[in-house]
Amino acid sequence: MSAKPHAPETSFRDPKGPTEWDAIPWSEVKKKVARLQMRIAKATREGKHRKAASLSWILTHSYYAKLLAVKRVTTNKGKNTAGVDGVVWRTSTQKMKAVESLNRHGYKPLPLKRHYIPKKNGKKRPLGIPIMRDRTMQAVHTLALKPIAETLADPNSYGFRDKRSCHDAIQQVYNALAKSYSAQWILEGDIKSCFDQISHEWLLENIPMDKKILKTWLKAGYLEEGKLFPTTEGTPQGGIASPTLANMTLDGLEKTFYGPNKRNRQLVNVIRFADDFVATGRTKEFLENKALPATKTFLDPRGLKLSDEKTLITNINDGFDFLGFNIRKYKGKLLIKPSKKAVKSLLEKVRETIKSMRGAKPEVLIAKLNPIIRGWVNYHKHVVAKKTFSYVDWQIDKMLQGWAKRRHPTKSRRWIRNKYFPKIELIGSTLVARVEIGKGVYQKFALVKASWTSIQRHIKVKQDANPFDSEYKAYFKERRRQGKLAWTIGPLDRQSAFACAEG
């Protein structure tokens, strides 16, 4: 979608709108932006691409979209991370000035600040951090690009998409492999350095957005140790628009596998989460001789390649790992469990936390460990995980007993157990801290145990559900309501005994 040279440079600001940040009616702002997004999605769905382009132009110049973009950038996790200019927006005045500065005319992004984060394999992943203004411009254009991306997306793509999650992808894997007549062979695909190697030429030719703006982002370069380096390929990890651009680059992969006949005899299913995907097939030969070459042909013009190390063909009876879960058939029955790597990663994190807090008070250690354990358990509670949760509890108990013994090397096991691991009604035995919260009033704080959480099956999102389609508005509202209900009265019932008052 190219820019319209005759269009006036205007922000479409409501003259009666708020001039103070704290007075902004955010619900109204979101409604106005959502209304335009739904119109963009409808035009795309009907094949009216010129109309979708015109509506996208209006949205990216909308005062309300700019307000929403500034709000996103100043409230997300990176709100205190500055780019190369060292500027962050904290005050209401700064935020309102930022809204006024978001004009296309004369816009030129600054280079990215290069930062590295460690990966599990010991390597480092490069991040490109834009300045606040560039992040906000990306957020504005992403608001217009997302309705198009969602409408054109592969049905079984689940990463970096609104209202979809890892659990939806895992449930789709179950649907594809659980039956007795399901495919027996799986292609585990991993795209090598996906974000860093996407072809700029392909993006500029195929992404339906303002080409001038897109090109300035892609060619901004990055600063590392005071030196400016050009960017000749890739879309930077750290940019707000990057996940949407990467998803749109990989959309169409499913059709490549299916070929002209989706319901073919090879039992093909493709499930993708960001740049990781699995594809099923009836025979190993089909995946080796047809599916794998077709994938490489699809990726080549996009500047992408499969990772030779991580791309494997596996039999379902041997099992494979995907998104932190292990999927395998045992005597013909498909079971999905937390992967050994995921369990090991959790226990290592807990071990390092306990080791770093040898001298900490029990209540401080509990406050540090509870979010770690609860977050991991909530992620894995939708699969066959009860035995795994009990194993995790046993391992953590052993670590904590060692921690308590180091604090009191001369005390007996019974003394340590009575002081730190008493049995409490409804809870059982766990690490407990007794803290005085008032004169003569004490409260017990208990460590969360993984086995307290009951298994809860996840209901997969409908394959064709689009959050920018008014037809699915009630559907997503009901899913959100059910999700909140499950969180408040669901598997963590025993946490009602998490804090037990004691006189």
Side-chain angles (χ1 to χ4, degrees):
M1 180 181 68
S2 60
K4 299 179 180 180
H6 62 275
E9 187 64 39
T10 174
S11 66
F12 290 89
R13 179 172 181 173
D14 184 351
K16 297 181 181 180
T19 57
E20 295 295 330
W21 186 261
D22 296 331
I24 294 172
W26 289 110
S27 60
E28 291 301 315
V29 171
K30 291 176 182 178
K31 283 180 183 178
K32 289 181 182 292
V33 171
R35 192 176 296 119
L36 261 179
Q37 288 179 314
M38 287 187 174
R39 291 179 65 191
I40 293 170
K42 183 180 179 182
T44 304
R45 202 161 49 246
E46 295 173 350
K48 300 176 181 178
H49 300 297
R50 289 179 65 86
K51 183 177 181 180
S54 298
L55 292 169
S56 297
W57 177 272
I58 294 172
L59 182 56
T60 55
H61 292 71
S62 162
Y63 181 67
Y64 299 101
K66 293 176 182 180
L67 283 172
L68 206 56
V70 172
K71 180 179 174 62
R72 175 181 178 181
V73 169
T74 55
T75 56
N76 64 15
K77 291 182 179 180
K79 63 182 179 181
N80 295 320
T81 304
V84 293
D85 61 353
V87 174
V88 293
W89 300 333
R90 291 193 176 96
T91 67
S92 296
T93 302
Q94 288 175 322
K95 294 171 185 177
M96 293 305 294
K97 285 183 178 179
V99 174
E100 299 294 342
S101 70
L102 298 174
N103 295 316
R104 181 179 183 275
H105 180 70
Y107 171 70
K108 185 177 181 182
L110 291 182
L112 308 170
K113 183 169 74 173
R114 179 54 62 96
H115 177 69
Y116 292 92
I117 58 174
K119 298 171 68 174
K120 292 181 180 179
N121 59 8
K123 298 180 180 180
K124 292 184 176 181
R125 176 181 285 111
L127 292 182
I129 304 173
I131 65 170
M132 297 289 280
R133 182 170 180 248
D134 294 340
R135 270 179 259 174
T136 311
M137 282 293 282
Q138 288 192 28
V140 170
H141 285 268
T142 302
L143 287 172
L145 192 57
K146 271 193 172 184
I148 301 173
E150 283 292 330
T151 305
L152 301 177
D154 286 345
N156 291 303
S157 161
Y158 298 95
F160 302 128
R161 292 182 62 186
D162 292 349
K163 315 296 185 183
R164 296 189 176 217
S165 67
C166 298
H167 303 112
D168 292 314
I170 292 299
Q171 187 60 42
Q172 179 60 23
V173 171
Y174 180 85
N175 294 343
L177 295 171
K179 298 180 178 62
S180 59
Y181 55 82
S182 296
Q184 296 294 306
W185 292 92
I186 298 94
L187 169 64
E188 304 172 61
D190 183 270
I191 299 169
K192 187 176 181 180
S193 302
C194 178
F195 282 85
D196 300 326
Q197 295 186 2
I198 299 175
S199 166
H200 285 182
E201 289 71 22
W202 191 93
L203 289 171
L204 290 168
E205 186 177 341
N206 293 278
I207 299 299
M209 66 167 287
D210 191 322
K211 305 301 183 185
K212 177 183 176 182
I213 295 293
L214 178 57
K215 187 174 183 179
T216 59
W217 291 345
L218 299 176
K219 303 298 183 182
Y222 65 92
L223 279 175
E224 186 174 7
E225 297 180 353
K227 295 182 180 179
L228 178 63
F229 295 89
T231 47
T232 57
E233 60 184 7
T235 175
Q237 297 188 59
I240 287 177
S242 295
T244 303
L245 294 175
N247 255 344
M248 297 187 77
T249 302
L250 296 176
D251 284 333
L253 184 62
E254 280 192 51
K255 294 179 182 178
T256 300
F257 274 82
Y258 291 132
N261 183 12
K262 182 176 179 179
R263 300 290 182 183
N264 59 49
R265 295 181 179 180
Q266 294 297 340
L267 302 177
V268 175
N269 287 277
V270 182
I271 301 100
R272 179 170 65 84
F273 190 93
D275 56 347
D276 293 330
F277 68 91
V278 293
T280 68
R282 183 185 294 276
T283 64
K284 185 177 181 180
E285 290 72 23
F286 167 76
L287 294 178
E288 283 182 340
N289 301 329
K290 292 187 178 180
L292 196 56
T295 304
K296 293 178 180 179
T297 302
F298 173 82
L299 295 176
D300 187 58
R302 293 160 171 79
L304 300 174
K305 295 180 180 180
L306 289 172
S307 170
D308 294 332
E309 298 176 0
K310 298 180 181 179
T311 300
L312 307 168
I313 295 177
T314 313
N315 190 280
I316 189 59
N317 295 313
D318 297 325
F320 64 97
D321 289 350
F322 185 53
L323 302 178
F325 299 92
N326 179 261
I327 299 103
R328 182 180 174 185
K329 272 190 175 179
Y330 298 82
K331 296 181 180 179
K333 184 175 182 179
L334 185 73
L335 296 181
I336 301 179
K337 305 177 181 180
S339 69
K340 290 182 179 179
K341 288 182 180 179
V343 174
K344 183 180 178 182
S345 178
L346 169 69
L347 295 178
E348 285 179 351
K349 189 172 184 178
V350 171
R351 187 176 291 109
E352 288 299 317
T353 302
I354 294 173
K355 187 176 179 180
S356 67
M357 302 181 72
R358 285 178 177 175
K361 293 181 179 180
E363 59 269 24
V364 177
L365 181 60
I366 289 171
K368 189 75 173 178
L369 290 179
N370 272 351
I372 297 173
I373 298 170
R374 190 183 296 118
W376 189 89
V377 169
N378 282 334
Y379 180 78
H380 292 92
K381 69 184 179 183
H382 302 296
V383 298
V384 182
K386 206 62 184 176
K387 287 185 178 179
T388 304
F389 288 171
S390 296
Y391 172 76
V392 164
D393 285 341
W394 176 64
Q395 287 286 347
I396 293 176
D397 280 347
K398 286 175 59 179
M399 297 178 203
L400 291 172
Q401 287 168 15
W403 168 83
K405 186 64 178 176
R406 281 193 295 269
R407 289 174 63 89
H408 305 281
T410 61
K411 299 295 184 180
S412 67
R413 289 184 178 181
R414 178 177 291 182
W415 186 93
I416 290 173
R417 187 170 61 250
N418 291 336
K419 179 175 177 61
Y420 290 105
F421 305 95
K423 288 186 178 180
I424 299 178
E425 188 179 357
L426 299 178
I427 290 182
S429 178
T430 187
L431 177 64
V432 174
R434 187 169 180 266
V435 182
E436 186 174 5
I437 60 173
K439 191 174 181 180
V441 180
Y442 294 86
Q443 196 172 43
K444 288 181 180 178
F445 294 94
L447 183 77
V448 171
K449 303 196 83 170
S451 56
W452 292 354
T453 302
S454 58
I455 303 303
Q456 229 185 5
R457 296 303 173 204
H458 178 75
I459 301 174
K460 191 182 85 71
V461 68
K462 288 182 179 179
Q463 185 170 284
D464 299 323
N466 185 343
F468 300 103
D469 187 343
S470 57
E471 179 184 344
Y472 292 100
K473 188 175 181 180
Y475 169 74
F476 283 113
K477 186 177 180 180
E478 178 61 19
R479 279 183 68 85
R480 185 167 62 250
R481 188 192 70 81
Q482 290 178 350
K484 288 180 179 179
L485 190 64
W487 177 259
T488 54
I489 65 171
L492 297 178
D493 291 335
R494 287 196 174 187
Q495 288 189 29
S496 59
F498 171 67
C500 309
E502 183 181 81

